[in-house]
Amino acid sequence: MRQGFLILLAIWMLFAGVCFAEKVTIYRDEWGVPHIYAQTEEGVAYGLGWAQAEDRLEQLLKNYRLAAGTMAEVFGEQWIEHDWQQRFVGHEEVSRRRYRELPAKIRAVIEAYQQGVKDYMKRHPEQVPAWAPKIEPWQVVALGRYIIFNWPMGRAMAGLQRRNEVTLPFSSNQWAVRPERTAEGCAILLIDPHIPWDNEFRFYEFRAHGGELHLSGFGPLGAPMLGLGHNRYLGWAATTGGPDTTDIYVEEVNPNNPLQYRYEGKWRNMTVRKVRINVAGKPPVEREIHYTHHGPIILREGNRAYAVATPYLNEVGFVVQLYRMATARNLREFQQAMAMNHFMEQNIMYADVEGNIFYVRTGRVPIRPKGYDFSKPVPGNTRATEWLGIHPMKDLVQLLNPSRGYMQNCNIGPDNMLVNSPLTADKYPEYIYGARPNENNSRGRRAVELLENTPRMTLRQAIAIALDTHADMAEQWKEALAQAAEQSADKETVARLQPAIRLLRQWDGFMNADSAGASLFRFWREAIKRFSPPIDPEAVRARKPLSAEQAEALLKALASAVEEMQKRYGRLEVPWGEIHRVRRGGKSWPISGGETGGGQTLRAVGSRMEADNIFYGVTGQNWTQVVLFRKGAVESYSANPYGQSDHPTSPHYTDQAEKLFSKSRLKPTWFEREWLEGHIESTTVLEWK
């Protein structure tokens, strides 16, 4: 009787337009990071929308324009080609068309999130830029597509240029350790993407608790999605590297009709879509996109046309997969989410409270027919080259709980993920393996060295490995220099270089901010690359004897480095942090780690030298998180190179740059409410209807 009454009451309230109000509380910790508490997932999303708008509204709105390809209409003609590329792959068109196909729950979360953004804008109209786009739910999906398409389109351009590989402007670190190799008695995971510090890849840090969502990590600005991070049961990291997901088809064009192409002996009509790009202060640009059944035409050469084929082209499931990953409670549920195969080609590494560590080299991988080299453009006029479906996750490179108790992938091949890795290239098709045999780099080598030799990892050691600044092969290069100085016949030059030789000999091999040896090493390694005959780094790594010619080249390179430093800085002994800095708001601070002239340290910082002869960080460790998966008490530590807010007047505009990033420190995330007590800077209570 009572249940029937409640049902009738609910129906009456629905038709009467009665709204239920949900309280949403945003606690800001002492670093300005929001901790959002609500009763439902939608309430959490609403609070996240409000918090993101409060911290970084302009970038949020700009991200929507970037994804939709509408930058030129407000920022000018320099954005025309960017906008054309986004129209070419159809982020707005596909997202608009397919948005209603998303599960109702996903749409409800997206729309609640955007309501939070819009309500903040209504409350603070003075902060809304004149160029703000109208906010619509499909934009969240388009933004997700915009971010992941960097990888398949990179592959497309590589195939178009007849190359087998593409080097993407992204690198990252990840590693996972099982409980038996930790003093903490739990699995530990490093999440450490190395991506640009500004614009769409500068993600947003948050904690969220409501309904099935209990999250800590980072996600795209403009979306209610956790890109990388953890919940109360598990977490995941991602690094660039993975299977080949994209192909180029060469279409035979009808010489009498450029909008027809041959397929199986018959002419087919291309599909034509007209695009109009509005341009501020200029006439609009009108273009056409031509499609074959393989995909859009990216290039024409006479009666040949090159079509991009990627299984991501018409997909919107990325947002659904991220939600399922975020709400997974165990390995099986996480693997089911990963099996959706909507993630871009990445190395995904996982750990959980049960002590499991798991790796999959994921991607939406076409099943290619045999007999063709799909690393190059393939004929599009025959059925013989058509894809045969999408590889299920079981076909992909993966590893669960390796016997050594750890694994890492810092953008290296699966066969170098750990000592005696079982993931060798001979076990997989080349396009699924996605790496050359024995593909490695400075970060991968150092990660294996440290993980292999840390049998009982403490929290302190985990953070130290995440922020390690050792220069790859520092000891071998110092030994080679000593050998060159000893065997050189030019004793006068050796004597003149003694201050530099002594500085390098006394250097401990770490690119630390207070180290003058680190600065000289960077300039010396850069100079070595310019000398002929080239010196093989692998021969130096193996400590092979130098030829007389190579020994002289090492000394000449050192003389060149000394001369350059004297010219730029007026002295030889220059602390690394004096010329290697993080900058924001007209201020800068010294930073350790980074480029060594021959690779990156694990603590990666990509920098640019400017007119003042200082290297300023622009990419690298973007947001680093170390996670300890204690059952019932998952604990994590994080930092980013700037701060939480984009408001120059906020104390959180540069606080992490000055107090964390510059000091090589991570802060506690205070994931659970009781841990946050005593660290709350402000409280905002909202009502979401």
Side-chain angles (χ1 to χ4, degrees):
M1 186 77 172
R2 174 178 171 79
Q3 185 178 9
F5 169 76
L6 290 174
I7 293 172
L8 289 173
L9 178 63
I11 293 173
W12 173 80
M13 293 177 75
L14 178 65
F15 281 97
V18 178
C19 293
F20 292 96
E22 179 178 347
K23 186 177 81 168
V24 178
T25 303
I26 303 174
Y27 300 107
R28 296 242 181 211
D29 66 29
E30 58 200 47
W31 298 98
V33 177
H35 299 243
I36 304 157
Y37 286 83
Q39 286 75 52
T40 65
E41 297 90 344
E42 292 85 351
V44 159
Y46 177 85
L48 180 59
W50 180 284
Q52 286 193 0
E54 186 174 33
D55 286 331
R56 293 166 58 189
L57 179 61
E58 283 207 15
Q59 185 60 59
L60 186 158
L61 297 171
K62 188 176 287 186
N63 280 357
Y64 286 162
R65 284 197 174 276
L66 286 165
T70 60
M71 292 290 286
E73 71 181 32
V74 293
F75 297 110
E77 60 185 332
Q78 68 268 30
W79 286 97
I80 291 173
E81 291 309 312
H82 168 275
D83 288 354
W84 163 248
Q85 291 167 16
Q86 311 326 311
R87 309 294 185 87
F88 178 81
V89 291
H91 296 321
E92 177 177 349
E93 187 271 328
V94 173
S95 301
R96 279 185 182 274
R97 172 166 47 86
R98 300 201 60 189
Y99 177 75
R100 301 305 302 178
E101 299 174 25
L102 294 174
K105 183 66 173 180
I106 304 300
R107 287 185 278 116
V109 168
I110 288 173
E111 289 159 25
Y113 163 82
Q114 287 195 330
Q115 192 60 51
V117 176
K118 290 188 284 190
D119 284 358
Y120 181 86
M121 292 168 66
K122 287 178 185 176
R123 186 82 62 88
H124 300 277
E126 75 285 355
Q127 296 183 24
V128 181
W131 49 261
K134 178 184 177 183
I135 294 181
E136 300 178 86
W138 61 265
Q139 291 163 326
V140 171
V141 183
L143 178 58
R145 283 174 53 93
Y146 175 64
I147 288 171
I148 71 172
F149 260 70
N150 281 274
W151 282 266
M153 287 308 292
R155 288 280 187 178
M157 297 309 296
L160 189 65
Q161 295 166 20
R162 281 77 166 177
R163 292 197 301 268
N164 295 335
E165 287 190 306
V166 59
T167 301
L168 292 165
F170 308 109
S171 65
S172 304
N173 293 347
Q174 60 179 203
W175 48 256
V177 181
R178 279 183 49 79
E180 62 265 25
R181 287 190 67 97
T182 76
E184 307 294 337
C186 63
I188 301 178
L189 177 70
L190 171 69
I191 305 167
D192 187 18
H194 303 162
I195 51 181
W197 292 352
D198 290 294
N199 300 319
E200 67 271 19
F201 282 100
R202 185 173 158 242
F203 284 6
Y204 186 84
E205 182 175 8
F206 65 94
R207 323 280 170 251
H209 298 273
E212 294 296 312
L213 297 177
H214 297 278
L215 307 174
S216 172
F218 306 79
L221 194 69
M225 297 182 287
L226 185 69
L228 303 173
H230 67 86
N231 59 27
R232 285 175 170 167
Y233 308 96
L234 54 86
W236 66 94
T239 67
T240 289
D244 185 354
T245 61
T246 304
D247 294 322
I248 297 289
Y249 282 89
V250 188
E251 310 288 14
E252 181 185 350
V253 178
N254 186 343
N256 299 314
N257 185 345
L259 294 180
Q260 287 187 329
Y261 67 105
R262 187 186 299 276
Y263 186 72
E264 288 294 307
K266 297 180 180 179
W267 295 117
R268 284 189 174 187
N269 293 325
M270 296 181 187
T271 301
V272 178
R273 183 160 67 90
K274 295 182 183 297
V275 169
R276 179 188 176 97
I277 300 173
N278 294 321
V279 184
K282 300 281 184 179
V285 174
E286 296 186 348
R287 297 182 184 178
E288 292 183 347
I289 304 174
H290 303 153
Y291 298 83
T292 71
H293 70 285
H294 294 120
I297 300 297
I298 195 170
L299 176 68
R300 286 179 181 262
E301 292 177 335
N303 292 329
R304 287 187 168 202
Y306 297 86
V308 177
T310 177
Y312 295 95
L313 194 64
N314 292 300
E315 296 300 322
V316 295
F318 183 56
V319 292
V320 182
Q321 179 170 333
L322 280 177
Y323 183 84
R324 289 186 58 186
M325 291 164 65
T327 55
R329 298 165 67 94
N330 53 49
L331 176 62
R332 180 181 59 82
E333 291 180 2
F334 185 83
Q335 288 176 326
Q336 288 173 344
M338 290 305 303
M340 294 178 66
N341 279 347
H342 282 288
F343 226 95
M344 63 280 204
E345 50 195 71
Q346 292 281 284
N347 301 293
I348 299 296
M349 199 161 284
Y350 160 104
D352 66 25
V353 296
E354 301 299 329
N356 296 305
I357 61 174
F358 171 68
Y359 164 83
V360 59
R361 200 163 170 87
T362 193
R364 195 167 180 79
V365 190
I367 302 173
R368 279 105 171 175
K370 295 180 180 180
Y372 293 90
D373 181 2
F374 278 86
S375 67
K376 302 175 182 178
V378 296
N381 59 2
T382 171
R383 186 179 289 113
T385 57
E386 295 292 343
W387 293 340
L388 306 174
I390 300 296
H391 280 281
M393 193 178 84
K394 67 179 179 62
D395 292 350
L396 306 182
V397 182
Q398 54 198 285
L399 183 61
L400 175 63
N401 294 330
S403 59
R404 298 200 85 85
Y406 73 87
M407 52 184 166
Q408 61 81 32
N409 197 303
C410 301
N411 311 119
I412 50 87
D415 52 351
N416 279 313
M417 287 174 47
L418 62 157
V419 172
N420 299 324
S421 171
L423 303 178
T424 54
D426 58 298
K427 298 176 182 176
Y428 303 90
E430 183 178 351
Y431 69 87
I432 285 182
Y433 196 73
R436 300 183 306 274
N438 200 34
E439 189 172 306
N440 212 341
N441 61 33
S442 57
R443 289 173 291 108
R445 285 188 289 268
R446 180 64 172 169
V448 167
E449 176 188 348
L450 293 175
L451 294 170
E452 179 72 19
N453 292 293
T454 309
R456 298 288 293 165
M457 183 184 291
T458 64
L459 168 61
R460 184 175 180 179
Q461 288 173 320
I463 293 175
I465 293 172
L467 303 177
D468 180 75
T469 63
H470 184 267
D472 187 41
M473 294 170 55
E475 289 71 28
Q476 292 96 319
W477 283 109
K478 288 165 63 176
E479 290 172 17
L481 178 61
Q483 179 189 340
E486 183 178 345
Q487 71 184 54
S488 173
D490 188 353
K491 299 306 179 184
E492 183 179 341
T493 297
V494 172
R496 180 165 46 85
L497 289 174
Q498 273 307 311
I501 294 171
R502 185 166 51 251
L503 182 58
L504 287 171
R505 187 175 66 244
Q506 294 171 350
W507 175 52
D508 64 2
F510 289 83
M511 304 292 290
N512 287 332
D514 60 358
S515 172
S519 300
L520 178 57
F521 185 74
R522 162 94 191 242
F523 280 94
W524 179 47
R525 288 287 287 112
E526 292 287 359
I528 288 170
K529 299 175 189 176
R530 300 193 293 266
F531 274 78
S532 182
I535 298 172
D536 180 11
E538 293 308 310
V540 174
R541 185 188 309 283
R543 293 180 164 89
K544 293 181 179 180
L546 298 173
S547 68
E549 205 172 15
Q550 290 175 329
E552 291 305 316
L554 278 186
L555 293 172
K556 288 179 181 178
L558 183 58
S560 175
V562 169
E563 181 182 357
E564 184 175 0
M565 293 193 69
Q566 290 285 1
K567 181 179 178 180
R568 291 184 183 277
Y569 309 112
R571 66 195 197 278
L572 177 63
E573 297 194 24
V574 182
W576 180 232
E578 185 177 317
I579 61 172
H580 187 243
R581 304 177 72 82
V582 56
R583 177 178 62 182
R584 200 178 200 208
K587 297 180 180 179
S588 69
W589 299 269
I591 45 176
S592 300
E595 173 62 49
T596 68
Q600 288 273 0
T601 64
L602 275 176
R603 210 259 173 127
V605 176
S607 57
R608 231 182 355 241
M609 180 182 276
E610 298 194 5
D612 58 3
N613 292 319
I614 295 176
F615 297 95
Y616 292 104
V618 294
T619 187
Q621 285 200 323
N622 189 300
W623 21 272
T624 303
Q625 193 167 28
V626 172
V627 191
L628 280 69
F629 288 93
R630 295 193 178 99
K631 191 173 290 189
V634 176
E635 180 182 342
S636 56
Y637 298 81
S638 68
N640 74 59
Y642 290 158
Q644 186 70 17
S645 174
D646 272 1
H647 297 288
T649 57
S650 168
H652 305 302
Y653 185 66
T654 59
D655 57 346
Q656 294 194 47
E658 179 181 6
K659 300 173 184 177
L660 295 177
F661 203 79
S662 176
K663 307 293 186 185
S664 295
R665 292 176 50 211
L666 302 182
K667 58 180 167 56
T669 64
W670 302 301
F671 181 43
E672 297 293 352
R673 177 64 182 84
E674 58 268 27
W675 300 343
L676 184 60
E677 201 63 48
H679 303 285
I680 297 173
E681 181 180 83
S682 67
T683 303
T684 301
V685 179
L686 306 172
E687 188 176 83
W688 175 64
K689 296 181 179 180

